[in-house]
Amino acid sequence: KQWYQRRVRGRIASCSGMQYWQRLEHLKLLSLQRRRERYMIIQMWKILHEIVPNSTGVAFNRSPRLGVRAVVPRYNYLAQKTVSGPYDSSFGVRGPRLWNSLPRGVRGASSLLELKQYLGSFLATIQWITTTSWLSGKKIRM
């Protein structure tokens, strides 16, 4: 998919000579990674509101101070290192981490349309930040 997307964007006359991130910004598109993250966040919202089945067993805690937060499952540190990669990239871990990294206002959206609007605005502000630094909470200068 990504190669096709790059090929099409490269053929747009107004984008010739631009780098990947410049083309995305010019066309007001999200990267494939950001779109996957957006999808995961929307799925987390649907699980919270019981619109889709919770097949991964994601749990949520409600707090007056922090709002709705997802519980990130604990990692078994006694397991082999080969297990840590699939663990970190699984929806059951990545979804709650993404959900918890959102501002409280985005997590508190009452409708799917409202969530998508808040999420679009939020993701546009962090487009250049890598997911690793976004999830770790590190501030990045651009």
Side-chain angles (χ1 to χ4, degrees):
K1 279 186 170 181
Q2 194 165 8
W3 65 267
Y4 180 75
Q5 206 178 35
R6 283 186 180 168
R7 190 171 133 214
V8 169
R9 281 192 309 264
R11 292 186 178 192
I12 298 173
S14 64
C15 294
S16 63
M18 291 183 179
Q19 296 295 323
Y20 174 73
W21 291 105
Q22 293 169 331
R23 285 193 303 262
L24 287 177
E25 184 177 27
H26 178 73
L27 297 171
K28 294 181 176 46
L29 296 174
L30 295 173
S31 67
L32 292 177
Q33 180 180 351
R34 281 288 177 260
R35 285 194 278 165
R36 282 190 294 271
E37 292 166 355
R38 181 180 181 273
Y39 172 77
M40 285 185 180
I41 292 166
I42 291 170
Q43 282 301 110
M44 290 292 293
W45 186 90
K46 288 179 177 181
I47 289 171
L48 172 66
H49 293 277
E50 299 176 351
I51 296 172
V52 296
N54 186 0
S55 59
T56 56
V58 174
F60 293 92
N61 291 332
R62 296 181 191 272
S63 163
R65 186 172 68 88
L66 299 174
V68 178
R69 308 263 304 170
V71 177
V72 179
R74 294 188 182 265
Y75 175 69
N76 180 3
Y77 291 101
L78 300 176
Q80 295 177 347
K81 288 286 185 189
T82 56
V83 175
S84 66
Y87 168 82
D88 285 333
S89 61
S90 69
F91 177 81
V93 172
R94 197 164 178 82
R97 285 182 180 165
L98 286 167
W99 180 262
N100 292 340
S101 66
L102 294 171
R104 186 176 177 183
V106 177
R107 290 192 319 258
S110 58
S111 71
L112 185 56
L113 180 61
E114 184 181 4
L115 173 76
K116 288 180 179 181
Q117 289 171 343
Y118 287 158
L119 197 52
S121 300
F122 176 70
L123 290 177
T125 64
I126 62 161
Q127 185 166 355
W128 310 113
I129 301 174
T130 63
T131 304
T132 311
S133 57
W134 175 34
L135 290 176
S136 67
K138 295 178 183 174
K139 303 289 182 194
I140 294 182
R141 291 185 185 198
M142 296 191 251

